[in-house]
Amino acid sequence: MSQPRESLTTCVASATGPATTLLSCARQLEESGLMGAARNAYLAAALADETPNGRVELAGFQFRSECFDEAACEYESLLGLAAETRDARLAEIARHNLAAVLRRTGQSARAMTLQGRASEETLSARGELEPADLTGRALDAIDQSDFELAENLLLRSLAVEKAQGNLAGQATDCANLGSLALLRGDNAVGIRFLARAYHLHRKLNDRLNAGTDLLNLAEAFQNASRWSLTSRCLRRAISQFESCDAERSLNTARTRLREVQQVQGVFKRDPLLN
């Protein structure tokens, strides 16, 4: 249900030469929903770049398009490169983002280990945890059913992101706070946070996470037996996932919509249930 933060890419060396142009092109293509062309541009940039930046960007794209095996391989390779070059910041970024991928593929134990190592490196280098570390630790706490700790960490992260004016970070934190509220059975709070996350993700043109917000909103409305709103959210989620080639989430949304439509059909056929 929850959303990882996978964009911890700042402070990596800037792309070099043609890679800069290719990365700019790749981002524009992705923004336009031309995912196949964007993938080719990210691959070309990674090959052309003399720094790790192109590969970090490629792995981020693979994550956003739900190619989790490819993203994991790229982050594993970047970890190896960081060890060879003794690049502490690259190692931190690779561990953090690999942990995000592992959470999405159900490998929570290894994700927690990597997140702990990344957080240690952040503390050692800067003396305090960054919002991305707080979010990662919160998601690990959710996996351990420590909802109170998770809420505390997410609220801390959200406060920092608001102070820094980081809309993407605020969207992630609101989405996770909304998902956490649903896990705790608080639909009203969940809907408020998820609606805020959805509007921010739409503003940022983050189709994958906007679709995920809609999936979670559909769950909240289903919990309240508001079937029309549930269907509407799922249809919009399908549109978002189609536009970013998120096949896993797209299949989930389609399956859930069919199930909801079956329930709606029962209500329409049996007047005693109206």
Side-chain angles (χ1 to χ4, degrees):
M1 289 175 58
S2 300
Q3 296 180 11
R5 187 194 308 263
E6 47 73 39
S7 56
L8 218 180
T9 57
T10 55
C11 299
V12 176
S14 298
T16 57
T20 302
T21 302
L22 286 166
L23 283 174
S24 177
C25 179
R27 296 184 194 108
Q28 291 175 14
L29 290 167
E30 184 181 0
E31 180 82 8
S32 300
L34 301 172
M35 304 300 284
R39 180 182 303 277
N40 290 336
Y42 278 114
L43 285 167
L47 289 171
D49 199 353
E50 297 176 2
T51 77
N53 188 69
R55 293 172 60 189
V56 171
E57 294 271 1
L58 171 61
F61 173 79
Q62 291 167 336
F63 183 101
R64 292 189 296 275
S65 54
E66 296 191 319
C67 297
F68 297 127
D69 290 342
E70 294 176 15
C73 286
E74 195 64 61
Y75 286 128
E76 293 273 17
S77 178
L78 286 166
L79 264 179
L81 176 62
E84 291 174 10
T85 59
R86 298 185 179 180
D87 188 333
R89 180 57 173 168
L90 178 60
E92 179 188 344
I93 289 168
R95 283 196 184 91
H96 173 88
N97 289 307
L98 180 56
V101 175
L102 294 173
R103 289 189 196 97
R104 291 294 293 268
T105 54
Q107 301 177 67
S108 57
R110 190 177 175 215
M112 189 178 301
T113 299
L114 285 166
Q115 183 62 59
R117 181 74 179 275
S119 296
E120 289 173 3
E121 290 169 350
T122 302
L123 283 171
S124 176
R126 287 177 288 286
E128 62 181 1
L129 293 177
E130 295 182 341
D133 297 289
L134 295 170
T135 299
R137 293 180 65 188
L139 297 182
D140 291 335
I142 290 173
D143 285 335
Q144 297 294 306
S145 298
D146 192 342
F147 297 156
E148 185 174 350
L149 174 60
E151 182 179 36
N152 177 270
L153 291 168
L154 289 170
L155 288 172
R156 283 172 58 191
S157 177
L158 181 58
V160 175
E161 299 291 26
K162 284 183 175 179
Q164 296 178 350
N166 184 353
L167 295 183
Q170 291 176 52
T172 297
D173 290 329
C174 286
N176 285 316
L177 284 163
S179 298
L180 178 59
L182 296 189
L183 287 172
R184 302 176 87 168
D186 195 335
N187 255 26
V189 171
I191 288 170
R192 285 199 298 272
F193 272 120
L194 289 167
R196 174 62 175 160
Y198 172 67
H199 288 300
L200 285 170
H201 282 135
R202 287 286 290 152
K203 184 175 183 178
L204 295 163
N205 202 27
D206 184 343
R207 299 179 182 91
L208 174 61
N209 283 321
T212 303
D213 296 331
L214 288 164
L215 275 182
N216 290 329
L217 280 167
E219 179 181 339
F221 290 130
Q222 183 172 333
N223 291 342
S225 297
R226 300 177 69 177
W227 299 104
S228 179
L229 283 173
T230 302
S231 294
R232 190 182 308 172
C233 286
L234 290 172
R235 289 192 182 93
R236 290 182 179 178
I238 287 170
S239 177
Q240 293 295 317
F241 294 140
E242 285 177 337
S243 68
C244 63
D245 287 351
E247 289 296 327
R248 296 190 187 201
S249 293
L250 178 59
N251 291 335
T252 297
R254 285 173 172 166
T255 298
R256 288 180 58 183
L257 180 60
R258 285 194 296 269
E259 293 170 349
V260 169
Q261 288 173 333
Q262 289 173 355
V263 173
Q264 288 178 303
V266 171
F267 280 116
K268 289 178 180 178
R269 287 193 299 270
D270 191 343
L272 296 177
L273 296 175
N274 294 327

